[in-house]
Amino acid sequence: MHSTLSFSQATTVPTTNYAFHSQSPINLRFCGLRREAFGISILTRSSSGRVRLSTRGRSKRTSASTGNNGTPPKSFDYDLIIIGAGVGGHGAALHAVEKGLKTAIIEGDVVGGTCVNRGCVPSKALLAVSGRMRELQSEHHMKALGLQVSAAGYDRQGVADHANNLASKIRSNLTNSMKALGVDILTGFGTIVGPQKVKYGKVGFTDNVVTAKDIIIATGSVPFVPKGIEVDGKTVITSDHALKLEFVPDWIAIVGSGYIGLEFSDVYTALGSEVTFIEALDQLMPGFDPEISKLAQRVLINPRKIDYHTGVFATKITPARDGKPVIVELTDAKTKEHKDTLEVDAALIATGRAPFTYGLGLENINVVTQRGFVPVDERMRVIDANGNLVPHLYCIGDANGKMMLAHAASAQGISVVEQVTGRDHVLNHLSVPAACFTHPEISMVGLTEPQAREKAEKEGFEISVAKTSFKANTKALAENEGEGLAKLIYRPDNGEILGVHIFGLHAADLIHEASNAVALGTRIQDIRFAVHAHPTLSEVLDELFKSAKVSFGSFLHCSQELLNFYLLRFCDYVLIRHKLLPGLES
Amino acid sequence: MANVLQTSFLPSTSSLRRPSISGSKGKSQSLQVKAKIREIFMPALSSTMTEGKIVSWMKSEGDKLSKGESVVVVESDKADMDVESFHEGFLAAIMVEEGGVAPVGSAIALLAETEDEISEAKAKSQSSSSSTPQVVEEKPKQIEEAAPDVPAAAAAPSVPVAKAVTLGSAVHPASEGGKRIVASPYAKKLAKELKVDLGTVVGSGPLGRIVAKDVEAAAVAVPVAASPAKPDPVAPGIELGTVVPFTTMQGAVSRNMVESLSVPTFRVGYTITTNALDALYKKIKSKGVTMTALLAKATALALVQHPVVNSCCRDGNSFTYNSSINIAVAVAIDGGLITPVLQDADKVDIYTLSRKWKELVDKARAKQLQPHEYNTGTFTLSNLGMFGVDRFDAILPPGTGAIMAVGASQPTVVASKDGRIGMKNQMQVNVTADHRVIYGADLAAFLQTLAKIVEDPKDLTF
């Protein structure tokens, strides 16, 4: 049992987030030998443990009590105040209650934040529609399955309603879950007025001041709009507007080809728009592993009604007015010379997100933001202008800019709650998966191949790459969706997984086997013996791990040969017993 | 892992050596000694592989290649693999385009050793490849023969010719006086695929933007326009027992015809007495009025009263009621077909309409029709009466609601209501319509109106 999370006496137990290994060897008969010999190697890594900071006097903490909000110490209104009720704040609040903290959450807008209201959630609704449209429109695909579908169409308002309804539903789920646990939801914009002190209130109302032992900033981000671009919310839009799907333009320019831009290109092309990507870097999809982005471009861009301009900035975008279309001025990223002008029906600005930290009162505690981000250390503790830690103040999620993903924010929040309840915890960001929900999906965890090569060179180890194709997967072929690739970057000397990248059907769901392995420190030589149901897409990863070549010295090699030998013998034995093979004698 | 293979570049100096000194001067002579053009072959990526599909070219023609650099991605029966170059040089000519399939061992591109040889290699590739790069089955044979001057050259590049003919014929409204071409992403893709020069296409999208259908229309028009420039491929006699690939236009026609199968059509026929129309025609023929114009005018006037028959179904969800009545009339041209359009045929008087028709026919013969003159029809007329055909059935062109097939007007013995037998000129018309928007009763009512107009044609001359 991995129950380390719930024991939290104030002892100085050297733990890290790796230290969740079961002591007993996995009960796999074949690998008993190897387990004894090498099981320890995994543990040695984790015992490099960071000792819990004893400076913070967290003497008593009730152990795992769920449901009731704990009593606050005399001097504070709350144990924990979270500013911002997005996914990060929500995750932190739930975990805080579980740990017995009296918790409040301050929200100035709507519960759920960007993800639920203007991000991941409504976009998944649109992508669910686009995926189905794509399937229904793919005559070739349908024919190959023997299906006949008459012309597929859609009702724009119906699609928009689906996205909106989903957001409301998730929002109310989130609100209810916090209310049910007894988290106080305080309405208004939160401002830090001093150490452990926050004021909040709506504009025009008197402010309330509350105190808390610990404060987490989780104010998230807003779409970033480069200067020169005029957003009117109608023809020049950000993801906030696009998710409402108020109209489907014939031709839309998407500035930025990262996750957001890619997902919207998937939605818009499925609904009949033509798309022009504008990317400042020399390559589309710059954030992805190069091999994956190359393949993705072949599948997601080239065959679709999409063209692109790379190495250019959209320096000026004017919304459509007076019968003129949206005008996009392109400037060469290197020479800074005017390169081209586009006349399109709409432009979507997907150039990333900027932290929303304005008005937080950071100046009151001598914290200076860096490009708007709140500076933090690896434990999410806020660093002030002098480079010192601000006690009892943490910042998670998009506002700290470490990893701008909803689930990363939540994981950071949980990590902070672990720390304030007396257990040191450092989140391994390399174990946080990321996904792009195009059709097919893209997902990844850990390092890209160039990053891994750089690290390997610096630290002096070898890396290897293994790849498997969805073309060889039975389930993928049954679905007639054989396009796809899974890629594993690993250390052949010890079997450590450095990165896994998947492009293919349901890649976003498949990545977790790899991300869990990274989080738990599972090595390839162990995970390759895990059994996968047949036929499933997860066998793509099974094959991937099996195709990796870990060179562990001759002993292991030997034992593996031996295992295979026995395995085959065993199979023969079974077959002979069942009279399926002509056996000589037993 | 084994995604990176070395392909088998074979020098083929014997067959592809520069035939004469062309282009560059002094410098080439010293180079000539060692200059080579190599072929890049489709590699065998697995033991079971017989042919491979070109997924993408990572280099384009003219790019410099260094040894070991990936040139092309090939999809085999098992996986996609990058193929590396064995030699240094310049990618001179791509012989199998992306998406094309080539058998293992056949040449898919040419590699020139120096920049000077690129053009030469290009010429080689053009003469050794047939007109459509996708057709690669015979290619290895041709290369082995080492005599690339095969008859394929006759059918070779019709495209440059077409360009020359139509170049500069149109100025894009949204292009700042023709400096810039505004075309949607899909239109650009299609133009590349169908080898249409966007500079010659007139856009019908918002603010004159070129959209996909403009390119498709131009793709049909280009070969028609080019046909006089090239030797007539039919006249020397069709070689029996051969398979001749579609020309671009025939391909487009084929696509349109297949696409028409997705439209649920039905037909309604009618017999119309034409004595009065014939009499009118005789009377005003001297003023330059043609029968086609009369029929178009009559049809247009009938359509005014039945706007639904002039509508179409674009997306499967809605009626598109066209604002103007544009009668397209099918005309056979050099083994092809074009449909010049009489715009606003209901509003324009019969004399102007006749002049317009003459002008369109002249333009069609001179291959000078502009896209808006043949692709803006809302209702189509097809007349085979001149061949003595008395009735036939037309296929509905995608994007329109109805087409009317007109047979010959013939003297017919008819019984009248008062019990007499008489002789009347009668023609049969047969309308094919999209039943998603036009129903049986709509067509019946329309035909009744049309018959009334033709049988009492005094309105036609107003």
Side-chain angles (χ1 to χ4, degrees):
Chain A
M1 271 300 293
H2 304 162
S3 57
T4 20
L5 278 172
S6 57
F7 85 95
S8 44
Q9 303 103 310
T11 49
T12 51
V13 186
T15 53
T16 71
N17 59 336
Y18 291 120
F20 302 143
H21 277 278
S22 54
Q23 297 297 349
S24 59
I26 294 168
N27 201 7
L28 248 184
R29 202 165 297 145
F30 308 122
C31 53
L33 251 184
R34 195 168 46 84
R35 261 286 164 185
E36 277 165 46
F38 292 91
I40 312 138
S41 70
I42 301 144
L43 287 172
T44 48
R45 171 180 164 173
S46 48
S47 59
S48 63
R50 303 167 186 92
V51 178
R52 189 185 67 85
L53 287 165
S54 50
T55 45
R56 278 187 253 149
R58 206 151 290 105
S59 52
K60 43 92 231 281
R61 205 74 292 166
T62 51
S63 62
S65 66
T66 48
N68 55 347
N69 214 344
T71 46
K74 283 164 203 116
S75 47
F76 295 109
D77 297 329
Y78 292 100
D79 291 326
L80 180 66
I81 284 184
I82 301 155
I83 306 174
V87 168
H90 175 260
L94 254 52
H95 193 59
V97 172
E98 193 185 315
K99 305 295 277 182
L101 302 186
K102 183 170 167 60
T103 309
I105 196 160
I106 300 175
E107 179 55 57
D109 186 24
V110 281
V111 171
T114 298
C115 169
V116 173
N117 300 293
R118 298 174 299 272
C120 347
V121 171
S123 68
K124 293 306 96 60
L126 297 183
L127 283 158
V129 173
S130 80
R132 282 177 174 75
M133 274 302 280
R134 230 170 250 301
E135 258 175 53
L136 295 174
Q137 287 168 342
S138 171
E139 213 178 299
H140 171 73
H141 188 245
M142 284 289 160
K143 222 178 252 172
L145 293 173
L147 284 176
Q148 289 170 351
V149 178
S150 60
Y154 70 93
D155 161 34
R156 185 200 53 78
Q157 192 56 49
V159 179
D161 289 348
H162 173 51
N164 194 30
N165 293 343
L166 178 71
S168 327
K169 189 173 197 171
I170 304 295
R171 183 163 62 231
S172 70
N173 284 354
L174 236 60
T175 314
N176 292 342
S177 70
M178 289 198 291
K179 279 189 180 150
L181 290 173
V183 175
D184 284 350
I185 302 175
L186 312 174
T187 312
F189 284 94
T191 306
I192 297 162
V193 289
Q196 296 170 296
K197 199 180 282 180
V198 180
K199 80 170 183 202
Y200 70 95
K202 286 180 182 163
V203 181
F205 291 87
T206 46
D207 288 343
N208 301 303
V209 174
V210 282
T211 56
K213 189 169 215 180
D214 294 290
I215 296 169
I216 297 179
I217 298 168
T219 44
S221 61
V222 291
F224 169 68
V225 179
K227 69 175 188 329
I229 296 177
E230 188 187 329
V231 172
D232 70 344
K234 296 273 184 291
T235 54
V236 180
I237 58 178
T238 67
S239 55
D240 288 4
H241 311 105
L243 288 166
K244 292 184 192 146
L245 201 72
E246 276 168 356
F247 91 120
V248 178
D250 287 343
W251 183 5
I252 184 166
I254 298 182
V255 187
S257 65
Y259 296 78
I260 303 174
L262 263 188
E263 290 191 359
F264 275 106
S265 79
D266 196 277
V267 171
Y268 278 118
T269 51
L271 299 185
S273 302
E274 296 179 29
V275 168
T276 296
F277 269 120
I278 298 163
E279 173 59 54
L281 296 172
D282 287 334
Q283 260 202 323
L284 287 179
M285 296 174 263
F288 299 90
D289 183 88
E291 199 164 354
I292 295 288
S293 67
K294 208 169 74 184
L295 180 64
Q297 183 170 336
R298 245 165 53 198
V299 177
L300 300 177
I301 309 275
N302 295 349
R304 297 185 181 173
K305 296 177 180 179
I306 302 177
D307 67 351
Y308 51 84
H309 299 262
T310 53
V312 290
F313 291 120
T315 35
K316 188 161 185 279
I317 300 183
T318 332
R321 60 168 80 98
D322 310 327
K324 281 192 179 156
V326 175
I327 296 171
V328 183
E329 305 248 329
L330 300 181
T331 303
D332 193 294
K334 289 195 187 83
T335 62
K336 308 286 178 218
E337 276 165 13
H338 174 82
K339 205 167 171 198
D340 208 345
T341 305
L342 300 179
E343 291 161 15
V344 293
D345 301 316
L348 169 68
I349 313 307
T351 42
R353 301 187 60 88
F356 180 63
T357 50
Y358 180 76
L360 256 177
L362 293 171
E363 61 284 357
N364 299 332
I365 42 168
N366 191 29
V367 171
V368 179
T369 58
Q370 292 164 358
R371 292 178 300 123
F373 293 108
V374 178
V376 292
D377 72 352
E378 58 175 2
R379 289 177 174 77
M380 311 302 139
R381 293 176 294 191
V382 175
I383 299 167
D384 71 10
N386 306 324
N388 301 320
L389 293 178
V390 179
H392 306 293
L393 185 63
Y394 302 82
C395 179
I396 61 168
D398 287 3
N400 72 29
K402 270 187 182 291
M403 197 177 210
M404 295 174 85
L405 295 168
H407 49 275
S410 185
Q412 290 170 354
I414 288 167
S415 171
V416 169
V417 171
E418 282 292 297
Q419 291 171 59
V420 302
T421 51
R423 232 182 56 80
D424 189 29
H425 187 274
V426 176
L427 177 66
N428 176 11
H429 283 90
L430 286 178
S431 74
V432 178
C436 185
F437 294 84
T438 43
H439 296 95
E441 296 170 341
I442 312 171
S443 64
M444 73 208 73
V445 66
L447 305 174
T448 62
E449 192 179 332
Q451 284 169 343
R453 292 212 179 277
E454 195 187 316
K455 185 177 172 179
E457 195 155 317
K458 209 181 283 170
E459 296 176 16
F461 59 82
E462 288 279 306
I463 65 162
S464 292
V465 174
K467 283 178 240 176
T468 53
S469 165
F470 278 63
K471 277 197 187 96
N473 182 274
T474 312
K475 188 73 189 307
L477 291 177
E479 301 278 345
N480 202 16
E481 304 263 7
E483 196 87 63
L485 172 82
K487 175 175 176 179
L488 166 70
I489 302 146
Y490 65 101
R491 280 181 68 156
D493 57 340
N494 64 10
E496 185 188 347
I497 299 169
L498 300 172
V500 174
H501 303 264
I502 310 173
F503 175 78
L505 186 64
H506 297 309
D509 291 309
L510 291 176
I511 194 68
H512 297 97
E513 182 170 9
S515 64
N516 287 351
V518 176
L520 303 179
T522 314
R523 302 295 167 102
I524 292 164
Q525 58 271 28
D526 299 321
I527 202 166
R528 66 165 23 143
F529 287 102
V531 179
H532 297 69
H534 177 75
T536 57
L537 291 172
S538 69
E539 287 171 298
V540 171
L541 284 194
D542 188 25
E543 282 235 350
L544 187 64
F545 294 132
K546 287 196 164 88
S547 67
K549 293 188 173 53
V550 181
S551 54
F552 253 120
S554 55
F555 170 65
L556 176 75
H557 192 64
C558 211
S559 81
Q560 251 177 330
E561 298 274 283
L562 219 62
L563 287 175
N564 287 343
F565 176 76
Y566 280 120
L567 193 59
L568 280 173
R569 282 279 89 146
F570 178 70
C571 289
D572 286 351
Y573 171 71
V574 171
L575 290 172
I576 290 163
R577 273 211 52 179
H578 290 267
K579 310 223 182 328
L580 296 168
L581 263 186
L584 298 170
E585 64 280 301
S586 62
Chain B
M1 267 306 288
N3 275 25
V4 174
L5 286 213
Q6 304 271 15
T7 182
S8 42
F9 279 57
L10 297 183
S12 56
T13 40
S14 59
S15 64
L16 288 169
R17 186 175 290 278
R18 166 182 321 216
S20 63
I21 299 162
S22 61
S24 49
K25 284 142 199 103
K27 201 172 119 199
S28 66
Q29 282 193 325
S30 61
L31 282 170
Q32 204 173 3
V33 185
K34 53 176 181 175
K36 279 180 204 150
I37 296 166
R38 293 187 165 92
E39 291 173 354
I40 302 179
F41 287 104
M42 173 62 72
L45 301 175
S46 72
S47 54
T48 54
M49 177 173 165
T50 54
E51 58 175 29
K53 182 177 168 188
I54 308 289
V55 175
S56 64
W57 283 100
M58 297 154 97
K59 299 281 170 186
S60 22
E61 289 184 2
D63 282 2
K64 191 171 166 29
L65 290 175
S66 48
K67 200 173 159 181
E69 206 172 355
S70 297
V71 190
V72 60
V73 182
V74 170
E75 181 186 290
S76 72
D77 50 343
K78 299 230 164 53
D80 295 351
M81 309 211 181
D82 292 357
V83 177
E84 287 178 1
S85 165
F86 241 174
H87 299 276
E88 239 180 58
F90 294 86
L91 186 61
I94 288 172
M95 294 159 77
V96 181
E97 294 289 339
E98 285 181 11
V101 175
V104 167
S106 69
I108 54 175
L110 293 181
L111 184 78
E113 201 151 286
T114 64
E115 221 163 349
D116 301 324
E117 286 165 334
I118 293 176
S119 55
E120 182 198 333
K122 267 195 179 143
K124 287 286 173 197
S125 81
Q126 285 204 333
S127 55
S128 68
S129 72
S130 56
S131 59
T132 44
Q134 269 81 356
V135 187
V136 288
E137 271 62 39
E138 310 93 318
K139 200 165 294 164
K141 225 184 293 161
Q142 290 177 10
I143 288 158
E144 279 162 30
E145 282 164 10
D149 290 333
V150 286
S158 68
V159 183
V161 183
K163 263 183 201 158
V165 171
T166 45
L167 196 74
S169 64
V171 171
H172 199 279
S175 63
E176 293 168 9
K179 268 185 283 173
R180 236 150 41 70
I181 292 165
V182 179
S184 81
Y186 187 44
K188 281 184 206 151
K189 264 185 196 177
L190 266 183
K192 202 174 160 197
E193 210 171 283
L194 301 174
K195 301 201 163 72
V196 171
D197 178 7
L198 281 173
T200 65
V201 179
V202 174
S204 68
L207 297 149
R209 175 194 302 162
I210 299 170
V211 293
K213 71 175 164 59
D214 302 330
V215 176
E216 276 165 357
V220 180
V222 163
V224 174
S227 52
K230 67 178 181 190
D232 191 345
V234 185
I238 300 159
E239 203 180 318
L240 298 179
T242 56
V243 177
V244 182
F246 282 156
T247 62
T248 318
M249 177 187 63
Q250 286 162 341
V253 169
S254 162
R255 262 200 312 283
N256 265 340
M257 290 303 96
V258 172
E259 194 190 326
S260 73
L261 291 178
S262 65
V263 178
T265 53
F266 72 113
R267 288 126 188 114
V268 176
Y270 211 100
T271 304
I272 301 175
T273 305
T274 58
N275 290 48
L277 187 72
D278 294 341
L280 176 70
Y281 176 54
K282 217 172 253 175
K283 208 166 83 189
I284 57 176
K285 198 178 169 185
S286 55
K287 294 174 185 168
V289 173
T290 61
M291 195 53 163
T292 303
L294 277 172
L295 280 173
K297 182 73 185 171
T299 308
L301 289 180
L303 285 172
V304 173
Q305 296 179 42
H306 302 278
V308 72
V309 182
N310 196 43
S311 76
C312 62
C313 180
R314 296 236 163 95
D315 52 3
N317 293 320
S318 57
F319 291 77
T320 303
Y321 289 106
N322 293 301
S323 51
S324 41
I325 295 174
N326 298 338
I327 306 290
V329 186
V331 173
I333 281 184
D334 287 353
L337 173 75
I338 197 149
T339 55
V341 175
L342 287 164
Q343 285 175 336
D344 294 313
D346 55 324
K347 299 198 183 84
V348 179
D349 69 80
I350 186 69
Y351 306 105
T352 315
L353 204 62
S354 298
R355 277 198 299 278
K356 181 81 196 165
W357 178 245
K358 197 169 175 312
E359 184 191 321
L360 285 173
V361 170
D362 288 347
K363 267 191 171 176
R365 287 214 183 101
K367 328 295 174 195
Q368 281 171 348
L369 282 180
Q370 297 297 309
H372 68 92
E373 287 172 324
Y374 58 80
N375 65 7
T376 53
T378 58
F379 185 97
T380 313
L381 274 185
S382 182
N383 186 356
L384 291 181
M386 56 288 226
F387 296 103
V389 168
D390 65 341
R391 83 203 89 121
F392 70 104
D393 178 45
I395 292 181
L396 181 65
T400 61
I403 180 170
M404 184 160 77
V406 181
S409 178
Q410 292 173 321
T412 314
V413 179
V414 291
S416 62
K417 274 179 191 151
D418 55 7
R420 297 176 175 205
I421 294 174
M423 186 81 91
K424 280 181 175 171
N425 289 342
Q426 290 194 324
M427 71 172 179
Q428 296 194 33
V429 297
N430 190 20
V431 183
T432 305
D434 180 348
H435 206 305
R436 289 174 300 176
V437 287
I438 301 166
Y439 299 177
D442 297 329
L443 275 193
F446 161 75
L447 285 168
Q448 199 177 20
T449 308
L450 178 68
K452 266 190 196 140
I453 293 171
V454 172
E455 284 163 16
D456 182 12
K458 61 181 186 315
D459 288 345
L460 295 182
T461 47
F462 285 119

